[in-house]
Amino acid sequence: MPVQGRVVISELYCKGCELCVGACPQEVLRLSTERITSKGYHPAELAGEGCTGCGICAVVCPEAAITVYRQVIRRSTAAVGA
Amino acid sequence: MVVEQIVPEEIVYQRPRSLVECATHYCPGCTHGVAHRIIAEVIDEMGLREHTIGVASVGCSVFAYNYFDFDWVQAPHGRAPAMATGVKRVLPDRMVITYQGDGDMASIGMTEVVHAAARGENITVFFINNANYGMTGGQMAPTTLPGQKTTSSPHGRDVELAGYPIRASELLATLEGAAYVVRRSLHDPKNIRLAKKAVRTALEVQRQGLGFSMVEMLSICPTNWGMSPNQALQWLAEKMIPYYPVGDYRVSPSVAQLKV
C-alpha cells in the first residue's frame, strides 16, 4: 500500500495559479470552485484520496503556500492501513 | 478521518522561516516566488538568516525586502552589485546577496555586474531571467528572444533593429574573478531542485570566500507572455532553454572541490 500523505494549502498565500495541479503526479489536487480567498482567487485543494505526501506540489508552489504531511512508516501495515 | 489523526505524521515540507508571513504582490504562477522560496530554504538550511544582507533591485523584485525575513537594502536601478560590493567590504563577515531581474541586471546594470565579477567581489548574484521587463508591462528586454512578441516589439523582436539577446551567464563566465556562474531553470520540479542546489553552492562559495558567484534562473512571466502559468512553463522549456541552455558556465577549480 502506498504511503499516505496530505497537504494543507494556506488561503493567505494561494493565488490559484494551478502549477501544483499540473505537477501533482497523483492528480489529486484541483482548484476549489466553492471557496474564494481574500485576494479573490479560487485556492487549490486536495480532492479525493491518493496523496502520497511526495511534496512535488510544494516544490513548484511559487507562494510557499503548501504544507505537506506524510505518514511515518514505522507501524505495522494493519494499524496504518485501517 | 479519525484514523488519519491517530497515525503519526511527519512534516515533509513547510514554509521556510526566512520568508515573511505575508502574501506577495507577484502575479499568480510567477516563478519569482519559487526563486524566493528556494533562496529562503537554503538560507534556513545553512543557518544564515541572522548573517545575511540582501540587496534588492528595481523591477518586479523590488519588494524582495518585504518578503525575506532578514536585512535588506534597496539599490538604485541596476546598481545592486555595486552596493553589495560596498556592504561586503564594510561587513566582510556577512553574506551579501543581490536579487535582480533581467531588466535590472542585463540592461541598465550590466556594467556593475560585469565589474563586480571582474573584481572577483565575494558576493552572490541571483539573476532572474524572464525574457521581458515584467513590472513595466512586458516590454522588450536585452534577454527577449529573437522573434518574441512583447508590448514594444509587437511583430516580434527584429534582430536587425534590436540586436540579439544577451546570454549573461556565458558572458560573465569569461571573467577570471568569477568563481561560480551557472544557469538553471524553474520550469519543473527536477530543475527547481537543481536550482536550489546551485543556490546552495553559490552561497557556500561566498561563505568560503572563493569569489563572485551567480545563479541565473530562467523564469516565467505568464501575465506579460499572455499565457496561463502551465502554458508558460511549457513555453519556457520549448523556447527559452534552446537559446539559454541550462548548465555550469564557470566552476573554478577551488569551487569544484566543494562538497555541498
Side-chain angles (χ1 to χ4, degrees), chain A residues 13-23 31 39 41-44 57 59-66, chain B residues 23-37 60 99 128-130 185-188 192 217-236:
Chain A
Y13 307 119
C14 182
K15 292 176 184 161
C17 69
E18 278 194 302
L19 290 186
C20 57
V21 177
L31 293 192
K39 279 188 166 245
Y41 299 113
H42 289 292
C57 52
V59 171
V60 298
C61 178
E63 307 298 333
I66 306 179
Chain B
T24 64
H25 75 289
Y26 297 119
C27 305
C30 176
T31 44
H32 260 307
V34 176
H36 277 33
R37 213 195 60 228
C60 284
Y99 186 99
I128 312 297
N129 179 354
N130 62 5
S185 174
L186 300 176
H187 74 282
D188 64 20
I192 292 170
M217 291 181 247
L218 300 180
S219 182
I220 61 171
C221 187
T223 302
N224 288 315
W225 293 357
M227 299 174 195
S228 77
N230 276 312
Q231 286 170 336
L233 294 180
Q234 195 101 29
W235 193 89
L236 190 160

Short mmCIF file of all heavy atoms in Angstrom, two decimals, chain A residues 13-23 31 39 41-44 57 59-66, chain B residues 23-37 60 99 128-130 185-188 192 217-236:
data_model
loop_
_atom_site.label_atom_id
_atom_site.label_comp_id
_atom_site.label_asym_id
_atom_site.label_seq_id
_atom_site.Cartn_x
_atom_site.Cartn_y
_atom_site.Cartn_z
N TYR A 13 -1.89 32.63 1.16
CA TYR A 13 -0.88 32.74 0.11
C TYR A 13 -1.38 32.28 -1.26
O TYR A 13 -0.93 32.80 -2.28
CB TYR A 13 0.36 31.92 0.47
CG TYR A 13 0.92 32.23 1.83
CD1 TYR A 13 1.00 31.25 2.83
CD2 TYR A 13 1.39 33.51 2.13
CE1 TYR A 13 1.52 31.54 4.07
CE2 TYR A 13 1.91 33.80 3.37
CZ TYR A 13 1.97 32.82 4.34
OH TYR A 13 2.49 33.10 5.57
N CYS A 14 -2.23 31.26 -1.30
CA CYS A 14 -2.58 30.63 -2.58
C CYS A 14 -3.26 31.63 -3.52
O CYS A 14 -4.16 32.36 -3.12
CB CYS A 14 -3.50 29.43 -2.36
SG CYS A 14 -3.91 28.60 -3.92
N LYS A 15 -2.76 31.64 -4.78
CA LYS A 15 -3.35 32.53 -5.79
C LYS A 15 -4.00 31.74 -6.92
O LYS A 15 -4.26 32.29 -8.00
CB LYS A 15 -2.28 33.44 -6.37
CG LYS A 15 -1.76 34.46 -5.36
CD LYS A 15 -0.64 35.27 -5.96
CE LYS A 15 -0.05 36.22 -4.94
NZ LYS A 15 1.29 36.66 -5.35
N GLY A 16 -4.20 30.46 -6.72
CA GLY A 16 -4.91 29.68 -7.73
C GLY A 16 -4.20 29.60 -9.07
O GLY A 16 -4.83 29.59 -10.12
N CYS A 17 -2.86 29.54 -9.07
CA CYS A 17 -2.13 29.54 -10.35
C CYS A 17 -2.17 28.19 -11.04
O CYS A 17 -1.83 28.09 -12.21
CB CYS A 17 -0.69 29.96 -10.12
SG CYS A 17 0.31 28.76 -9.22
N GLU A 18 -2.53 27.16 -10.33
CA GLU A 18 -2.67 25.80 -10.89
C GLU A 18 -1.34 25.10 -11.16
O GLU A 18 -1.35 24.04 -11.78
CB GLU A 18 -3.49 25.81 -12.19
CG GLU A 18 -4.98 25.82 -11.95
CD GLU A 18 -5.79 25.48 -13.20
OE1 GLU A 18 -5.62 26.19 -14.19
OE2 GLU A 18 -6.58 24.52 -13.16
N LEU A 19 -0.21 25.67 -10.75
CA LEU A 19 1.04 24.96 -11.00
C LEU A 19 1.07 23.64 -10.23
O LEU A 19 1.53 22.62 -10.75
CB LEU A 19 2.25 25.82 -10.61
CG LEU A 19 2.53 27.04 -11.49
CD1 LEU A 19 3.83 27.70 -11.08
CD2 LEU A 19 2.60 26.67 -12.95
N CYS A 20 0.56 23.63 -9.00
CA CYS A 20 0.55 22.38 -8.23
C CYS A 20 -0.40 21.37 -8.86
O CYS A 20 -0.13 20.17 -8.89
CB CYS A 20 0.18 22.65 -6.78
SG CYS A 20 -1.41 23.47 -6.56
N VAL A 21 -1.52 21.88 -9.41
CA VAL A 21 -2.50 20.98 -10.04
C VAL A 21 -1.84 20.27 -11.23
O VAL A 21 -2.00 19.07 -11.43
CB VAL A 21 -3.74 21.78 -10.49
CG1 VAL A 21 -4.73 20.88 -11.21
CG2 VAL A 21 -4.40 22.45 -9.30
N GLY A 22 -1.06 21.04 -12.01
CA GLY A 22 -0.40 20.46 -13.17
C GLY A 22 0.75 19.54 -12.79
O GLY A 22 1.07 18.63 -13.56
N ALA A 23 1.37 19.77 -11.64
CA ALA A 23 2.55 18.99 -11.28
C ALA A 23 2.23 17.74 -10.47
O ALA A 23 3.05 16.83 -10.41
CB ALA A 23 3.52 19.87 -10.48
N LEU A 31 -8.53 23.13 -8.20
CA LEU A 31 -8.91 24.42 -7.65
C LEU A 31 -10.32 24.30 -7.10
O LEU A 31 -11.19 23.71 -7.73
CB LEU A 31 -8.86 25.51 -8.73
CG LEU A 31 -7.49 25.86 -9.30
CD1 LEU A 31 -7.58 27.15 -10.11
CD2 LEU A 31 -6.43 26.01 -8.22
N LYS A 39 -7.93 37.54 -1.56
CA LYS A 39 -7.44 38.24 -2.75
C LYS A 39 -8.34 37.98 -3.96
O LYS A 39 -8.08 38.53 -5.03
CB LYS A 39 -6.02 37.77 -3.07
CG LYS A 39 -4.96 38.45 -2.22
CD LYS A 39 -3.57 38.09 -2.73
CE LYS A 39 -2.53 39.01 -2.14
NZ LYS A 39 -1.87 39.86 -3.12
N TYR A 41 -9.04 34.76 -5.32
CA TYR A 41 -8.68 33.60 -6.14
C TYR A 41 -9.37 32.35 -5.61
O TYR A 41 -9.66 32.25 -4.42
CB TYR A 41 -7.16 33.36 -6.09
CG TYR A 41 -6.34 34.50 -6.62
CD1 TYR A 41 -5.52 35.24 -5.78
CD2 TYR A 41 -6.37 34.83 -7.97
CE1 TYR A 41 -4.75 36.28 -6.26
CE2 TYR A 41 -5.60 35.87 -8.46
CZ TYR A 41 -4.79 36.60 -7.61
OH TYR A 41 -4.04 37.63 -8.08
N HIS A 42 -9.59 31.39 -6.50
CA HIS A 42 -10.06 30.08 -6.07
C HIS A 42 -8.83 29.28 -5.63
O HIS A 42 -7.97 28.98 -6.46
CB HIS A 42 -10.76 29.35 -7.22
CG HIS A 42 -12.09 29.94 -7.57
ND1 HIS A 42 -13.17 29.89 -6.72
CD2 HIS A 42 -12.51 30.63 -8.66
CE1 HIS A 42 -14.20 30.50 -7.28
NE2 HIS A 42 -13.82 30.97 -8.46
N PRO A 43 -8.71 28.94 -4.37
CA PRO A 43 -7.48 28.27 -3.91
C PRO A 43 -7.46 26.80 -4.32
O PRO A 43 -8.49 26.19 -4.59
CB PRO A 43 -7.56 28.40 -2.39
CG PRO A 43 -9.02 28.46 -2.10
CD PRO A 43 -9.66 29.16 -3.27
N ALA A 44 -6.24 26.25 -4.39
CA ALA A 44 -6.10 24.82 -4.65
C ALA A 44 -6.53 24.05 -3.42
O ALA A 44 -6.47 24.54 -2.29
CB ALA A 44 -4.65 24.52 -4.99
N CYS A 57 4.14 19.20 -5.15
CA CYS A 57 3.33 20.42 -5.19
C CYS A 57 4.04 21.55 -4.45
O CYS A 57 4.05 22.70 -4.91
CB CYS A 57 1.94 20.18 -4.61
SG CYS A 57 1.94 19.41 -2.98
N VAL A 59 7.23 21.84 -4.07
CA VAL A 59 8.43 22.23 -4.80
C VAL A 59 8.09 23.24 -5.90
O VAL A 59 8.85 24.16 -6.17
CB VAL A 59 9.13 20.98 -5.41
CG1 VAL A 59 10.24 21.39 -6.36
CG2 VAL A 59 9.70 20.12 -4.31
N VAL A 60 6.94 23.08 -6.54
CA VAL A 60 6.59 24.00 -7.63
C VAL A 60 5.80 25.22 -7.15
O VAL A 60 5.65 26.17 -7.90
CB VAL A 60 5.80 23.31 -8.78
CG1 VAL A 60 6.63 22.22 -9.41
CG2 VAL A 60 4.47 22.79 -8.31
N CYS A 61 5.32 25.21 -5.92
CA CYS A 61 4.44 26.30 -5.47
C CYS A 61 5.22 27.61 -5.35
O CYS A 61 6.17 27.71 -4.59
CB CYS A 61 3.81 25.96 -4.11
SG CYS A 61 2.76 27.30 -3.51
N PRO A 62 4.83 28.65 -6.10
CA PRO A 62 5.57 29.90 -6.02
C PRO A 62 5.28 30.70 -4.75
O PRO A 62 5.97 31.67 -4.49
CB PRO A 62 5.07 30.69 -7.24
CG PRO A 62 4.24 29.76 -8.04
CD PRO A 62 3.77 28.71 -7.11
N GLU A 63 4.28 30.31 -4.01
CA GLU A 63 3.91 31.12 -2.85
C GLU A 63 4.29 30.45 -1.54
O GLU A 63 3.96 30.98 -0.47
CB GLU A 63 2.39 31.39 -2.87
CG GLU A 63 1.89 31.99 -4.18
CD GLU A 63 2.50 33.35 -4.48
OE1 GLU A 63 2.89 34.05 -3.53
OE2 GLU A 63 2.61 33.70 -5.65
N ALA A 64 4.92 29.30 -1.59
CA ALA A 64 5.23 28.54 -0.38
C ALA A 64 3.98 28.38 0.47
O ALA A 64 4.00 28.53 1.70
CB ALA A 64 6.37 29.17 0.42
N ALA A 65 2.85 28.11 -0.19
CA ALA A 65 1.56 28.05 0.49
C ALA A 65 1.24 26.66 1.02
O ALA A 65 0.27 26.48 1.74
CB ALA A 65 0.45 28.48 -0.48
N ILE A 66 2.04 25.66 0.62
CA ILE A 66 1.65 24.29 0.88
C ILE A 66 2.49 23.69 2.01
O ILE A 66 3.71 23.77 1.99
CB ILE A 66 1.79 23.43 -0.40
CG1 ILE A 66 1.01 24.09 -1.55
CG2 ILE A 66 1.30 22.01 -0.16
CD1 ILE A 66 1.08 23.36 -2.87
N ALA B 23 1.45 37.72 1.99
CA ALA B 23 1.27 37.35 0.59
C ALA B 23 2.11 38.28 -0.27
O ALA B 23 2.28 39.45 0.05
CB ALA B 23 -0.21 37.45 0.22
N THR B 24 2.65 37.75 -1.37
CA THR B 24 3.47 38.58 -2.25
C THR B 24 2.60 39.30 -3.26
O THR B 24 1.44 38.95 -3.46
CB THR B 24 4.47 37.71 -3.03
OG1 THR B 24 3.75 36.82 -3.89
CG2 THR B 24 5.35 36.90 -2.09
N HIS B 25 3.19 40.31 -3.93
CA HIS B 25 2.45 41.05 -4.95
C HIS B 25 2.59 40.40 -6.32
O HIS B 25 2.05 40.90 -7.29
CB HIS B 25 2.94 42.49 -5.01
CG HIS B 25 4.28 42.62 -5.68
ND1 HIS B 25 5.44 42.18 -5.08
CD2 HIS B 25 4.63 43.08 -6.89
CE1 HIS B 25 6.45 42.39 -5.92
NE2 HIS B 25 6.00 42.93 -7.02
N TYR B 26 3.37 39.30 -6.42
CA TYR B 26 3.61 38.71 -7.73
C TYR B 26 2.32 38.14 -8.32
O TYR B 26 1.42 37.71 -7.60
CB TYR B 26 4.66 37.60 -7.61
CG TYR B 26 6.00 38.09 -7.15
CD1 TYR B 26 6.57 37.63 -5.97
CD2 TYR B 26 6.69 39.05 -7.87
CE1 TYR B 26 7.80 38.10 -5.53
CE2 TYR B 26 7.92 39.53 -7.44
CZ TYR B 26 8.46 39.06 -6.27
OH TYR B 26 9.66 39.54 -5.84
N CYS B 27 2.27 38.12 -9.66
CA CYS B 27 1.10 37.55 -10.33
C CYS B 27 1.00 36.05 -10.01
O CYS B 27 2.01 35.41 -9.71
CB CYS B 27 1.23 37.71 -11.84
SG CYS B 27 1.51 39.38 -12.40
N PRO B 28 -0.18 35.48 -10.12
CA PRO B 28 -0.32 34.04 -9.89
C PRO B 28 0.60 33.25 -10.83
O PRO B 28 0.64 33.52 -12.03
CB PRO B 28 -1.79 33.77 -10.22
CG PRO B 28 -2.47 35.06 -10.00
CD PRO B 28 -1.47 36.12 -10.37
N GLY B 29 1.35 32.32 -10.26
CA GLY B 29 2.20 31.45 -11.07
C GLY B 29 3.58 32.01 -11.35
O GLY B 29 4.42 31.32 -11.91
N CYS B 30 3.85 33.25 -10.98
CA CYS B 30 5.17 33.84 -11.27
C CYS B 30 6.25 33.08 -10.51
O CYS B 30 6.16 32.88 -9.31
CB CYS B 30 5.19 35.31 -10.85
SG CYS B 30 6.82 36.05 -11.07
N THR B 31 7.31 32.67 -11.23
CA THR B 31 8.34 31.87 -10.57
C THR B 31 9.34 32.72 -9.78
O THR B 31 10.28 32.17 -9.23
CB THR B 31 9.06 30.97 -11.57
OG1 THR B 31 9.35 31.71 -12.75
CG2 THR B 31 8.21 29.77 -11.93
N HIS B 32 9.12 34.03 -9.72
CA HIS B 32 9.86 34.79 -8.71
C HIS B 32 9.63 34.15 -7.35
O HIS B 32 10.53 34.08 -6.51
CB HIS B 32 9.32 36.23 -8.64
CG HIS B 32 10.16 37.22 -9.39
ND1 HIS B 32 11.51 37.35 -9.17
CD2 HIS B 32 9.84 38.14 -10.33
CE1 HIS B 32 11.99 38.32 -9.97
NE2 HIS B 32 10.99 38.80 -10.69
N GLY B 33 8.39 33.73 -7.12
CA GLY B 33 8.05 33.11 -5.84
C GLY B 33 8.87 31.85 -5.59
O GLY B 33 9.31 31.60 -4.47
N VAL B 34 9.07 31.06 -6.65
CA VAL B 34 9.86 29.83 -6.49
C VAL B 34 11.31 30.20 -6.16
O VAL B 34 11.93 29.60 -5.27
CB VAL B 34 9.80 28.98 -7.78
CG1 VAL B 34 10.68 27.76 -7.65
CG2 VAL B 34 8.36 28.56 -8.07
N ALA B 35 11.82 31.21 -6.85
CA ALA B 35 13.20 31.64 -6.58
C ALA B 35 13.31 32.15 -5.14
O ALA B 35 14.26 31.79 -4.42
CB ALA B 35 13.61 32.73 -7.57
N HIS B 36 12.35 32.95 -4.70
CA HIS B 36 12.35 33.42 -3.31
C HIS B 36 12.38 32.23 -2.36
O HIS B 36 13.12 32.20 -1.40
CB HIS B 36 11.05 34.21 -3.01
CG HIS B 36 11.10 35.64 -3.45
ND1 HIS B 36 11.78 36.07 -4.55
CD2 HIS B 36 10.52 36.75 -2.92
CE1 HIS B 36 11.62 37.38 -4.68
NE2 HIS B 36 10.85 37.81 -3.69
N ARG B 37 11.51 31.26 -2.66
CA ARG B 37 11.36 30.14 -1.75
C ARG B 37 12.64 29.35 -1.64
O ARG B 37 13.08 29.01 -0.54
CB ARG B 37 10.21 29.26 -2.24
CG ARG B 37 9.44 28.59 -1.14
CD ARG B 37 8.59 27.47 -1.69
NE ARG B 37 9.44 26.50 -2.33
CZ ARG B 37 9.22 25.99 -3.54
NH1 ARG B 37 8.19 26.35 -4.24
NH2 ARG B 37 10.06 25.11 -4.04
N CYS B 60 10.08 43.93 -10.81
CA CYS B 60 9.09 43.22 -10.01
C CYS B 60 9.69 42.81 -8.66
O CYS B 60 8.99 42.76 -7.65
CB CYS B 60 8.62 41.96 -10.73
SG CYS B 60 7.47 42.30 -12.07
N TYR B 99 19.47 40.29 -5.62
CA TYR B 99 18.37 39.57 -6.28
C TYR B 99 17.89 40.48 -7.40
O TYR B 99 17.30 41.52 -7.14
CB TYR B 99 17.26 39.29 -5.26
CG TYR B 99 16.14 38.43 -5.81
CD1 TYR B 99 16.11 37.08 -5.54
CD2 TYR B 99 15.13 38.99 -6.57
CE1 TYR B 99 15.09 36.28 -6.04
CE2 TYR B 99 14.11 38.19 -7.08
CZ TYR B 99 14.10 36.85 -6.79
OH TYR B 99 13.09 36.06 -7.30
N ILE B 128 17.30 36.64 -12.27
CA ILE B 128 16.05 36.04 -12.72
C ILE B 128 15.79 36.49 -14.16
O ILE B 128 15.60 37.68 -14.40
CB ILE B 128 14.87 36.47 -11.82
CG1 ILE B 128 15.22 36.31 -10.34
CG2 ILE B 128 13.61 35.70 -12.17
CD1 ILE B 128 15.51 34.92 -9.89
N ASN B 129 15.80 35.55 -15.08
CA ASN B 129 15.66 35.87 -16.50
C ASN B 129 14.29 35.41 -16.99
O ASN B 129 14.03 34.22 -17.11
CB ASN B 129 16.78 35.14 -17.27
CG ASN B 129 16.70 35.38 -18.76
OD1 ASN B 129 15.77 35.99 -19.25
ND2 ASN B 129 17.70 34.89 -19.47
N ASN B 130 13.41 36.39 -17.25
CA ASN B 130 12.09 36.01 -17.77
C ASN B 130 11.82 36.62 -19.15
O ASN B 130 10.68 36.70 -19.59
CB ASN B 130 10.97 36.35 -16.78
CG ASN B 130 10.86 37.82 -16.51
OD1 ASN B 130 11.55 38.63 -17.12
ND2 ASN B 130 9.98 38.20 -15.61
N SER B 185 16.94 26.45 -14.47
CA SER B 185 15.60 26.80 -14.90
C SER B 185 14.62 26.45 -13.79
O SER B 185 14.88 25.58 -12.97
CB SER B 185 15.26 26.03 -16.18
OG SER B 185 13.92 26.26 -16.51
N LEU B 186 13.49 27.14 -13.78
CA LEU B 186 12.49 26.91 -12.72
C LEU B 186 11.20 26.34 -13.31
O LEU B 186 10.12 26.61 -12.83
CB LEU B 186 12.19 28.21 -11.97
CG LEU B 186 13.39 28.88 -11.29
CD1 LEU B 186 12.97 30.21 -10.68
CD2 LEU B 186 13.96 27.99 -10.20
N HIS B 187 11.32 25.53 -14.37
CA HIS B 187 10.09 25.14 -15.05
C HIS B 187 9.55 23.77 -14.65
O HIS B 187 8.44 23.43 -15.03
CB HIS B 187 10.26 25.20 -16.57
CG HIS B 187 11.09 24.09 -17.13
ND1 HIS B 187 12.46 24.08 -17.05
CD2 HIS B 187 10.75 22.95 -17.76
CE1 HIS B 187 12.92 22.98 -17.62
NE2 HIS B 187 11.90 22.27 -18.05
N ASP B 188 10.30 22.97 -13.94
CA ASP B 188 9.73 21.71 -13.46
C ASP B 188 10.41 21.31 -12.14
O ASP B 188 11.43 21.89 -11.76
CB ASP B 188 9.80 20.60 -14.52
CG ASP B 188 11.22 20.21 -14.88
OD1 ASP B 188 12.13 20.49 -14.10
OD2 ASP B 188 11.40 19.62 -15.96
N ILE B 192 13.89 22.74 -10.53
CA ILE B 192 13.82 23.58 -9.34
C ILE B 192 14.76 23.03 -8.27
O ILE B 192 15.48 23.77 -7.60
CB ILE B 192 12.37 23.67 -8.82
CG1 ILE B 192 11.51 24.45 -9.81
CG2 ILE B 192 12.33 24.33 -7.45
CD1 ILE B 192 10.03 24.41 -9.52
N MET B 217 18.48 32.18 -13.15
CA MET B 217 17.33 31.29 -13.11
C MET B 217 16.34 31.71 -14.20
O MET B 217 15.86 32.84 -14.20
CB MET B 217 16.67 31.33 -11.74
CG MET B 217 17.54 30.70 -10.66
SD MET B 217 16.77 30.72 -9.05
CE MET B 217 17.85 31.84 -8.18
N LEU B 218 16.07 30.79 -15.13
CA LEU B 218 15.07 31.06 -16.15
C LEU B 218 13.70 31.00 -15.51
O LEU B 218 13.39 30.07 -14.76
CB LEU B 218 15.17 30.03 -17.29
CG LEU B 218 16.51 29.98 -18.02
CD1 LEU B 218 16.45 28.92 -19.11
CD2 LEU B 218 16.87 31.32 -18.61
N SER B 219 12.89 31.99 -15.79
CA SER B 219 11.65 32.18 -15.05
C SER B 219 10.53 32.46 -16.03
O SER B 219 10.77 32.81 -17.19
CB SER B 219 11.87 33.36 -14.11
OG SER B 219 10.74 33.58 -13.32
N ILE B 220 9.30 32.32 -15.57
CA ILE B 220 8.16 32.60 -16.45
C ILE B 220 7.51 33.93 -16.07
O ILE B 220 7.66 34.40 -14.94
CB ILE B 220 7.10 31.48 -16.43
CG1 ILE B 220 6.52 31.30 -15.02
CG2 ILE B 220 7.67 30.18 -16.95
CD1 ILE B 220 5.32 30.37 -14.96
N CYS B 221 6.84 34.51 -17.04
CA CYS B 221 6.10 35.75 -16.80
C CYS B 221 4.73 35.58 -17.45
O CYS B 221 4.46 36.13 -18.52
CB CYS B 221 6.85 36.93 -17.42
SG CYS B 221 6.13 38.52 -17.02
N PRO B 222 3.86 34.76 -16.85
CA PRO B 222 2.62 34.40 -17.54
C PRO B 222 1.76 35.59 -17.92
O PRO B 222 1.16 35.60 -19.00
CB PRO B 222 1.89 33.49 -16.54
CG PRO B 222 2.65 33.52 -15.27
CD PRO B 222 3.99 34.11 -15.54
N THR B 223 1.71 36.61 -17.08
CA THR B 223 0.86 37.77 -17.37
C THR B 223 1.30 38.47 -18.65
O THR B 223 0.51 38.69 -19.57
CB THR B 223 0.90 38.77 -16.20
OG1 THR B 223 0.48 38.09 -15.02
CG2 THR B 223 0.00 39.96 -16.45
N ASN B 224 2.61 38.78 -18.73
CA ASN B 224 3.08 39.53 -19.90
C ASN B 224 3.28 38.65 -21.12
O ASN B 224 3.26 39.15 -22.24
CB ASN B 224 4.36 40.28 -19.55
CG ASN B 224 4.10 41.45 -18.63
OD1 ASN B 224 3.17 42.22 -18.85
ND2 ASN B 224 4.88 41.57 -17.59
N TRP B 225 3.49 37.37 -20.92
CA TRP B 225 3.57 36.48 -22.08
C TRP B 225 2.17 36.17 -22.61
O TRP B 225 2.03 35.59 -23.69
CB TRP B 225 4.27 35.16 -21.71
CG TRP B 225 5.72 35.29 -21.37
CD1 TRP B 225 6.48 36.40 -21.41
CD2 TRP B 225 6.60 34.22 -20.95
NE1 TRP B 225 7.77 36.11 -21.04
CE2 TRP B 225 7.87 34.80 -20.75
CE3 TRP B 225 6.43 32.86 -20.72
CZ2 TRP B 225 8.96 34.04 -20.33
CZ3 TRP B 225 7.51 32.11 -20.30
CH2 TRP B 225 8.77 32.70 -20.11
N GLY B 226 1.14 36.48 -21.83
CA GLY B 226 -0.22 36.21 -22.25
C GLY B 226 -0.57 34.74 -22.25
O GLY B 226 -1.23 34.24 -23.18
N MET B 227 -0.13 34.03 -21.23
CA MET B 227 -0.38 32.58 -21.16
C MET B 227 -0.81 32.23 -19.74
O MET B 227 -0.63 33.00 -18.81
CB MET B 227 0.92 31.81 -21.44
CG MET B 227 1.52 32.04 -22.80
SD MET B 227 3.11 31.22 -22.90
CE MET B 227 3.76 32.01 -24.34
N SER B 228 -1.36 31.02 -19.62
CA SER B 228 -1.61 30.52 -18.28
C SER B 228 -0.26 30.07 -17.71
O SER B 228 0.68 29.79 -18.47
CB SER B 228 -2.58 29.34 -18.32
OG SER B 228 -1.89 28.18 -18.76
N PRO B 229 -0.13 29.99 -16.38
CA PRO B 229 1.16 29.59 -15.81
C PRO B 229 1.67 28.26 -16.35
O PRO B 229 2.86 28.13 -16.65
CB PRO B 229 0.87 29.53 -14.31
CG PRO B 229 -0.21 30.54 -14.10
CD PRO B 229 -1.07 30.46 -15.33
N ASN B 230 0.78 27.28 -16.51
CA ASN B 230 1.25 25.98 -17.00
C ASN B 230 1.69 26.05 -18.47
O ASN B 230 2.66 25.41 -18.87
CB ASN B 230 0.18 24.90 -16.80
CG ASN B 230 0.24 24.33 -15.39
OD1 ASN B 230 1.31 23.97 -14.90
ND2 ASN B 230 -0.89 24.26 -14.72
N GLN B 231 0.98 26.87 -19.28
CA GLN B 231 1.42 27.07 -20.67
C GLN B 231 2.78 27.78 -20.70
O GLN B 231 3.63 27.48 -21.54
CB GLN B 231 0.42 27.95 -21.42
CG GLN B 231 -0.87 27.26 -21.79
CD GLN B 231 -1.89 28.27 -22.32
OE1 GLN B 231 -1.83 29.46 -22.02
NE2 GLN B 231 -2.83 27.79 -23.10
N ALA B 232 2.94 28.72 -19.79
CA ALA B 232 4.20 29.48 -19.76
C ALA B 232 5.38 28.56 -19.42
O ALA B 232 6.46 28.71 -19.99
CB ALA B 232 4.09 30.62 -18.75
N LEU B 233 5.17 27.60 -18.53
CA LEU B 233 6.24 26.65 -18.21
C LEU B 233 6.64 25.87 -19.46
O LEU B 233 7.82 25.65 -19.74
CB LEU B 233 5.78 25.65 -17.14
CG LEU B 233 5.51 26.19 -15.74
CD1 LEU B 233 5.08 25.06 -14.83
CD2 LEU B 233 6.73 26.88 -15.17
N GLN B 234 5.62 25.48 -20.23
CA GLN B 234 5.86 24.76 -21.48
C GLN B 234 6.66 25.64 -22.46
O GLN B 234 7.60 25.18 -23.09
CB GLN B 234 4.49 24.43 -22.10
CG GLN B 234 4.54 23.41 -23.20
CD GLN B 234 4.10 22.07 -22.66
OE1 GLN B 234 3.31 22.01 -21.72
NE2 GLN B 234 4.61 20.99 -23.22
N TRP B 235 6.26 26.90 -22.54
CA TRP B 235 6.92 27.83 -23.46
C TRP B 235 8.38 28.01 -23.06
O TRP B 235 9.27 28.02 -23.91
CB TRP B 235 6.19 29.18 -23.44
CG TRP B 235 6.58 30.11 -24.54
CD1 TRP B 235 6.02 30.18 -25.78
CD2 TRP B 235 7.62 31.09 -24.51
NE1 TRP B 235 6.65 31.16 -26.52
CE2 TRP B 235 7.64 31.73 -25.77
CE3 TRP B 235 8.54 31.50 -23.54
CZ2 TRP B 235 8.52 32.75 -26.09
CZ3 TRP B 235 9.43 32.50 -23.87
CH2 TRP B 235 9.42 33.11 -25.12
N LEU B 236 8.61 28.11 -21.76
CA LEU B 236 10.00 28.25 -21.28
C LEU B 236 10.82 27.05 -21.71
O LEU B 236 11.93 27.19 -22.24
CB LEU B 236 10.00 28.38 -19.75
CG LEU B 236 11.31 28.76 -19.06
CD1 LEU B 236 11.03 29.32 -17.68
CD2 LEU B 236 12.28 27.63 -18.94
#
